[in-house]
Amino acid sequence: MEGQIWFLPRSLQLSSFQAYKLRVTHLYQLKQHSILVSVGEDEEGINPLVKVWNLEKRDGGNPLCTRIFPAIPGNKPTVVSCLTVHENLNFMAIGFADGSVVLTKGDITRDRHSKTQILHEGSYPVTGLAFRQSGKTTHLFVVTTENIQSYMLSVKDYPHLELDTHGCGLRCSSLSDPSQDLQFIVAGNECVYLYQPDERGPCFAFEGQKLIVHWYRGYLIIVSKDRKTSPKSEFAGNEAQNSDKQVLNIYDLCNKFIAYSSIFDDIVDVLAEWGSLYVLTRDGKIHVLQEKDTQTKLEMLFRKNLFEMAINLAKSHHLDSDGLSEIFRQYGDHLYNKGNHDGAIQQYIRTIGKLEPSYVIRKFLDAQRIHNLTAYLQTLHLQSLANADHTTLLLNCYTKLKDSSKLEEFIKTSESEVRFDVETAIKVLRQAGYYSHAVYLAEKHAHHEWYLKIQLEDIKNYQEALRYIGKLPFDQAESNMKRYGKILMHHVPNETTELLKILCTDYRPLGDNEGPGMLEGKKANLEEFIPVFANNSRELKAFLEHMTDVQADSPQGVYDTLLELRLQNWAHEQDEQIKEKLHNEALTLLKSGRFKTVFDKALVLCQMHNFKDGVLYLYEQGKLFQQIMHYHMQNEQYKKVIEVCELYGDQEACLWEQALGYFARKEEDCKEYIAAVLKHIENKNLMPPLLVVQTLAHNSTATLSVIKDYLVNKLQKQSRQIEQDEQRIQKYREETTRIRQEIEELKASPKIFQKTKCSICTSALELPSVHFLCGHSFHQHCFESYSESDSECPTCMPENRKVMDMIRAQEQKRDLHDQFQHQLKCSNDGFSVVADYFGRGVFNKLTLITDLPPGKAATTIEAGLQRELLIHAKRST
């Protein structure tokens, strides 16, 4: 009141400077700038001055005053009632008691860059002003004792809007912060109203005559008169005396509770600085109010069980999720202990993600609270925080509650929203008997094994299971047919066989929308599916026949199995026509050439089923002629035995001998067949007569007449052979005697050459001539022209060389005992083989002398004569 402005730092050391000569009436300190705007008087009368101070700059120790101008609306001086400045320093508004408002636009710290004009005129004193900045839009709230108006300063001509028809007193209005959307607060005696620039907002019924209104960090600070009467007035009479006490209330509008309330004596103002509130009273005291920390506030509310308020408070203070979760837990525990299980589960649901689910689940496992547990588990799954055990528990809850609608809603979520372990859900649903739900899940989420297991083992819907397999990719279709093929074949054999045909030829999934050329078909190994037909031979036969038709290079096992099936069908068929058809099919398959590598196996199959034609065909293919004959022998088919000998006797001569032995052992009259055999044996000279007689001696019915003709013919042949041999022997003896005589003559008498013609040119011999001991003579020039050697006769030389080559060959083959044994064994006449080798000199040692060493001249002539003798003997034969 003496024109000074005081500064009170945090150290509480006062300082001041003289701002006006008389008094200071209004101050406005900007929050973001060190600019102070004051209104005061330098002289008596109504002459208010506005001064703008820069607190960072000094002028003689005092703050620098950057601007001074009078606060007069028009020409009529009036008292300033209120003052406000925009934080951007571009607007200043001054309210006056006569109802007018002066707006300064531009840089308020300089006269040159600002413009002052009267914004508002009225008949009621202006009691409050406030700027509101929202984006690029600036509004000015103007409140008088009787109305409230809003001016839009960011638009030309400053359009305005009347918001209400009642006002407030001085210092009873303020602007909230963004937590309350920058609303303009007007405190009347009955209510506190909040305003947007274009409408009235909510109101709060705070009674009492309002003296001061401020906004601080989300709190509404109201100083009002204490309406309580003093105790003395109750005894003083009927007239009530109002006390001088004032009530300071601090409201939390967001959370709707009174944060502080106290009574003071004559409050001058409530100031906010350094994170605290300072209450200045008329007695010169300053009271500091310090806000408790959030945790302390919450603990106070917890003690009073005001959990909802604590939650709202925590949210407004932006408490982290862990802190909020703990409040929800305590609130849930509180409600649970009070027996409000429905309310408690709602709070526990809000702890999901922070509180261990088992903490909640254990509390609600009782059967009477299963619906609460279900709600909790549902939310747990919606937030994708459930594990397999939670899924199991939730599904068990559904099944116990028999809540099919909820169960369907739970499992029929879209693919992208699955929040549970599908396999666990399928297991639980199957165990509870909800097969359709389990099948739905298995099909939707491609759990093929579970789908088929439920369809086949529980629902027994074999057709649907088969259809499902037909839609699967090749690898999965193949594996599932191996696993479930026997079950399907037992119940739906035809459809299963058709699917296997496709699977083993050119498989494409039924639901495949690819074009025919887009996806190449795959083939399974059909041998692996033969065990599927274990008890369905008819279907197996159809399957294998189809496969051999469409796939000629089918594995050998396919043909083996098909042969066995055809033989089985043939063996058990009673109808003759059908049996004949089956017989031809089996034989055709045998003759297809598919059993060359498994000859023994095919033969065993035919023998097992007594398939005569097949056995004989295989014997023939395997050149098992003796087995063919033994087969006919076992069946006593005599004609067939003879036919076999005639067909294959040339390839295997012993067949006739075996046939003779077979007929010889028969007690029936087999003379006809024995005669046929003997005739062939005789023609081919297959057996010695003595062996034939010994063989037939075992037959008691065979008489001498059977072999009479055979023996007579044999004896006649032998007689003729003996005569021929004797003639040949006589001839050889005579030849030998003649040759010996020639040798003796050569040794003892001279050789007389009486040839008159040349043996080469047949011309008369002329001297000189050449004569040889062999009796040939030659002209010398003929001999020299034709002779290859001076010591050999050209005429005898070719024959001599043949003899010499034979001698050398005999010499080389003397030691070939293996060849001799083989020929001896295979020949019909062993004696002739021995005689041949004996003639070759195999059994005597023969020394061939070609060149004589010196000193052995005495034996030269004898050796030469031996050689000549051999050559001559060979020529004679």
Side-chain angles (χ1 to χ4, degrees):
M1 297 305 295
E2 297 176 356
Q4 290 180 322
I5 294 177
W6 293 83
F7 294 97
L8 183 63
R10 200 161 192 174
S11 62
L12 302 182
Q13 295 178 353
L14 283 167
S15 62
S16 65
F17 72 97
Q18 193 71 34
Y20 294 88
K21 295 178 181 179
L22 291 181
R23 67 182 66 86
V24 182
T25 59
H26 297 82
L27 287 178
Y28 191 91
Q29 170 70 53
L30 276 79
K31 297 178 181 178
Q32 300 176 10
H33 304 277
S34 296
I35 301 296
L36 177 68
V37 180
S38 63
V39 178
E41 298 174 359
D42 279 343
E43 57 187 38
E44 293 292 340
I46 303 173
N47 189 21
L49 289 176
V50 178
K51 294 184 179 182
V52 180
W53 308 90
N54 188 336
L55 302 182
E56 291 181 347
K57 296 182 180 181
R58 293 290 171 176
D59 182 15
N62 297 328
L64 175 65
C65 181
T66 61
R67 184 180 181 188
I68 302 176
F69 65 93
I72 301 174
N75 298 322
K76 184 179 179 181
T78 182
V79 177
V80 174
S81 59
C82 55
L83 167 71
T84 187
V85 180
H86 198 291
E87 287 295 325
N88 63 11
L89 300 177
N90 286 327
F91 293 103
M92 178 192 299
I94 304 173
F96 295 90
D98 64 354
S100 59
V101 176
V102 172
L103 177 67
T104 300
K105 184 178 181 183
D107 189 351
I108 65 167
T109 62
R110 299 179 183 179
D111 290 327
R112 189 176 300 174
H113 298 287
S114 64
K115 180 181 178 182
T116 302
Q117 66 184 85
I118 297 175
L119 178 67
H120 172 79
E121 289 183 339
S123 56
Y124 304 109
V126 177
T127 56
L129 297 168
F131 286 107
R132 183 183 189 273
Q133 185 71 39
S134 177
K136 295 183 178 181
T137 304
T138 306
H139 289 88
L140 174 64
F141 291 102
V142 178
V143 57
T144 67
T145 55
E146 297 298 331
N147 60 20
I148 304 169
Q149 295 190 20
S150 168
Y151 286 84
M152 186 180 291
L153 303 183
S154 53
V155 179
K156 190 177 181 181
D157 298 333
Y158 308 139
H160 70 280
L161 177 68
E162 186 173 10
L163 300 177
D164 217 334
T165 56
H166 59 79
C168 67
L170 283 171
R171 302 200 298 173
C172 290
S173 64
S174 183
L175 190 72
S176 69
D177 58 20
S179 67
Q180 283 293 330
D181 199 19
L182 297 173
Q183 296 183 92
F184 187 55
I185 301 169
V186 177
N189 289 336
E190 300 299 327
C191 294
V192 173
Y193 298 92
L194 278 68
Y195 296 91
Q196 294 283 356
D198 54 353
E199 63 179 353
R200 192 176 83 177
C203 68
F204 298 91
F206 300 149
E207 294 183 355
Q209 182 182 352
K210 312 302 187 296
L211 302 177
I212 301 173
V213 173
H214 287 299
W215 185 268
Y216 169 72
R217 291 186 179 179
Y219 293 105
L220 176 62
I221 301 167
I222 296 179
V223 177
S224 59
K225 284 189 176 182
D226 186 7
R227 301 184 64 182
K228 296 179 181 178
T229 59
S230 62
K232 294 181 180 180
S233 64
E234 296 178 5
F235 301 97
N238 292 331
E239 295 182 2
Q241 297 179 356
N242 290 336
S243 67
D244 293 333
K245 301 291 184 180
Q246 296 174 351
V247 180
L248 171 62
N249 287 324
I250 301 177
Y251 300 96
D252 186 337
L253 297 185
C254 181
N255 299 312
K256 297 181 175 56
F257 66 86
I258 300 174
Y260 180 80
S261 180
S262 183
I263 298 176
F264 290 88
D265 292 328
D266 198 4
I267 297 175
V268 176
D269 207 346
V270 180
L271 309 172
E273 194 62 61
W274 307 311
S276 300
L277 290 176
Y278 293 88
V279 182
L280 178 62
T281 56
R282 191 69 63 184
D283 57 4
K285 295 181 180 178
I286 290 181
H287 305 267
V288 61
L289 302 179
Q290 293 181 334
E291 186 178 6
K292 288 181 169 57
D293 62 84
T294 303
Q295 191 58 40
T296 304
K297 295 178 188 177
L298 294 175
E299 289 174 356
M300 292 171 63
L301 294 173
F302 293 158
R303 286 196 294 270
K304 297 178 181 180
N305 293 327
L306 300 174
F307 291 99
E308 287 288 353
M309 194 175 290
I311 292 168
N312 294 333
L313 178 66
K315 289 180 178 178
S316 66
H317 284 69
H318 305 291
L319 196 66
D320 61 12
S321 56
D322 291 335
L324 279 172
S325 177
E326 179 60 22
I327 298 173
F328 296 142
R329 184 197 64 77
Q330 294 188 33
Y331 191 17
D333 290 347
H334 170 71
L335 295 175
Y336 182 85
N337 293 331
K338 287 175 64 177
N340 183 3
H341 299 124
D342 293 340
I345 203 67
Q346 293 304 316
Q347 299 307 316
Y348 287 134
I349 286 174
R350 299 166 82 177
T351 67
I352 289 175
K354 300 297 179 182
L355 183 63
E356 175 61 37
S358 59
Y359 177 87
V360 180
I361 293 172
R362 282 197 298 269
K363 290 178 177 288
F364 291 89
L365 280 177
D366 192 357
Q368 285 77 20
R369 301 169 192 165
I370 194 170
H371 62 283
N372 298 128
L373 181 58
T374 303
Y376 178 81
L377 292 171
Q378 278 179 337
T379 310
L380 196 65
H381 282 81
L382 285 174
Q383 297 187 19
S384 301
L385 296 173
N387 58 28
D389 293 332
H390 299 148
T391 303
T392 303
L393 189 57
L394 176 58
L395 292 173
N396 283 327
C397 289
Y398 283 140
T399 55
K400 287 184 179 179
L401 291 172
K402 300 190 182 303
D403 192 347
S404 298
S405 60
K406 284 284 187 183
L407 180 60
E408 288 190 10
E409 180 183 351
F410 175 72
I411 67 172
K412 292 186 178 180
T413 52
S414 65
E415 186 77 28
S416 60
E417 297 177 356
V418 177
R419 299 184 176 91
F420 56 88
D421 184 75
V422 176
E423 188 169 356
T424 300
I426 294 172
K427 290 179 183 177
V428 175
L429 290 170
R430 184 190 184 199
Q431 188 176 5
Y434 285 78
Y435 301 128
S436 60
H437 297 78
V439 163
Y440 170 82
L441 272 182
E443 182 174 14
K444 181 178 178 182
H445 299 285
H447 286 262
H448 311 310
E449 185 175 347
W450 281 108
Y451 180 90
L452 295 171
K453 189 177 292 186
I454 296 170
Q455 286 282 20
L456 296 173
E457 298 178 9
D458 302 320
I459 304 177
K460 313 282 186 193
N461 190 345
Y462 305 103
Q463 292 278 8
E464 184 61 27
L466 198 63
R467 179 197 63 80
Y468 186 81
I469 293 175
K471 297 192 301 181
L472 296 179
F474 172 77
D475 293 335
Q476 295 171 351
E478 182 185 28
S479 62
N480 282 297
M481 281 305 293
K482 290 177 183 177
R483 183 177 297 129
Y484 300 111
K486 289 185 180 179
I487 300 175
L488 292 169
M489 184 61 68
H490 179 70
H491 293 91
V492 281
N494 294 330
E495 294 84 350
T496 305
T497 304
E498 290 303 315
L499 179 58
L500 285 174
K501 288 178 181 178
I502 298 172
L503 190 65
C504 295
T505 51
D506 187 17
Y507 178 78
R508 289 182 175 87
L510 294 178
D512 192 359
N513 295 324
E514 297 280 351
M518 298 297 290
L519 183 65
E520 183 180 354
K522 295 184 177 181
K523 295 190 296 184
N525 183 359
L526 60 92
E527 282 187 290
E528 297 177 355
F529 292 99
I530 291 177
V532 170
F533 298 87
N535 300 314
N536 299 75
S537 58
R538 181 173 61 85
E539 285 75 16
L540 177 58
K541 181 172 178 287
F543 171 69
L544 295 178
E545 287 176 346
H546 170 79
M547 294 307 303
T548 54
D549 290 341
V550 301
Q551 190 175 325
D553 59 343
S554 296
Q556 184 60 46
V558 174
Y559 290 97
D560 296 345
T561 309
L562 181 58
L563 175 63
E564 185 176 2
L565 288 171
R566 288 185 176 180
L567 292 175
Q568 285 178 355
N569 294 341
W570 171 82
H572 294 95
E573 184 58 53
Q574 301 298 325
D575 190 302
E576 288 300 325
Q577 292 183 348
I578 299 176
K579 193 177 183 73
E580 180 64 23
K581 179 183 177 182
L582 294 173
H583 173 278
N584 294 334
E585 288 179 355
L587 197 58
T588 302
L589 182 60
L590 273 176
K591 293 181 178 180
S592 64
R594 295 288 178 178
F595 300 92
K596 294 180 179 178
T597 58
V598 288
F599 173 83
D600 295 341
K601 187 173 184 180
L603 183 59
V604 170
L605 288 174
C606 292
Q607 290 172 340
M608 284 172 58
H609 296 89
N610 196 25
F611 189 55
K612 170 185 172 182
D613 292 347
V615 171
L616 294 176
Y617 172 77
L618 291 172
Y619 281 159
E620 182 179 358
Q621 292 299 306
K623 299 186 182 302
L624 302 175
F625 306 127
Q626 295 189 35
Q627 279 80 351
I628 297 175
M629 192 169 69
H630 290 162
Y631 182 86
H632 293 310
M633 289 177 177
Q634 289 174 359
N635 293 280
E636 297 186 348
Q637 297 173 328
Y638 302 151
K639 290 184 178 180
K640 291 290 184 180
V641 172
I642 299 298
E643 289 177 4
V644 171
C645 291
E646 291 174 347
L647 286 172
Y648 312 116
D650 293 339
Q651 301 180 48
E652 198 162 342
C654 61
L655 293 177
W656 291 102
E657 300 175 15
Q658 294 177 8
L660 181 63
Y662 169 71
F663 290 123
R665 288 191 295 274
K666 288 295 180 182
E667 298 300 325
E668 299 91 2
D669 187 5
C670 300
K671 295 180 180 180
E672 177 185 354
Y673 303 109
I674 293 173
V677 173
L678 286 175
K679 182 178 180 182
H680 193 86
I681 290 175
E682 179 185 355
N683 293 336
K684 296 293 184 179
N685 194 22
L686 298 178
M687 293 176 67
L690 184 59
L691 185 59
V692 172
V693 173
Q694 290 177 348
T695 302
L696 291 175
H698 297 289
N699 191 327
S700 59
T701 60
T703 60
L704 188 61
S705 61
V706 176
I707 59 171
K708 176 182 178 182
D709 295 337
Y710 168 77
L711 292 175
V712 169
N713 292 335
K714 198 68 176 174
L715 291 172
Q716 289 176 349
K717 283 183 179 180
Q718 289 182 353
S719 297
R720 288 195 295 270
Q721 184 66 36
I722 290 170
E723 290 178 358
Q724 292 175 0
D725 290 343
E726 288 178 347
Q727 292 174 1
R728 193 176 292 115
I729 291 169
Q730 183 61 33
K731 181 181 176 183
Y732 287 160
R733 283 176 177 172
E734 293 174 354
E735 186 71 23
T736 302
T737 302
R738 184 182 62 79
I739 292 173
R740 284 177 176 170
Q741 289 177 356
E742 289 183 3
I743 292 172
E744 289 296 329
E745 289 178 0
L746 289 173
K747 285 181 180 181
S749 357
K751 178 69 175 175
I752 300 173
F753 300 105
Q754 295 179 344
K755 286 279 187 179
T756 60
K757 292 184 179 181
C758 176
S759 297
I760 294 177
C761 64
T762 67
S763 300
L765 279 176
E766 296 177 358
L767 294 175
S769 59
V770 179
H771 304 275
F772 284 88
L773 290 177
C774 59
H776 293 113
S777 299
F778 306 94
H779 294 114
Q780 185 175 0
H781 62 273
C782 291
F783 174 75
E784 290 175 352
S785 300
Y786 291 94
S787 176
E788 294 180 6
S789 174
D790 293 340
S791 59
E792 289 189 72
C793 172
T795 303
C796 298
M797 184 174 63
E799 192 66 26
N800 293 341
R801 285 191 176 179
K802 288 182 181 179
V803 176
M804 295 301 295
D805 290 341
M806 291 174 62
I807 293 173
R808 291 191 184 95
Q810 290 176 358
E811 181 68 22
Q812 291 173 358
K813 293 180 179 179
R814 282 193 306 168
D815 296 328
L816 300 179
H817 301 296
D818 292 339
Q819 185 177 357
F820 167 73
Q821 293 291 341
H822 177 72
Q823 291 185 8
L824 184 64
K825 184 176 182 181
C826 297
S827 175
N828 296 326
D829 189 0
F831 183 78
S832 62
V833 175
V834 174
D836 179 55
Y837 274 82
F838 187 83
R840 294 182 190 179
V842 174
F843 304 105
N844 60 342
K845 187 173 182 181
L846 178 65
T847 303
L848 182 62
I849 302 174
T850 56
D851 296 322
L852 292 175
K856 295 188 177 180
T859 59
T860 301
I861 298 174
E862 185 177 356
L865 289 174
Q866 288 182 356
R867 183 173 62 180
E868 291 293 333
L869 178 60
L870 284 172
I871 293 172
H872 187 75
K874 185 64 181 177
R875 191 186 304 125
S876 300
T877 58

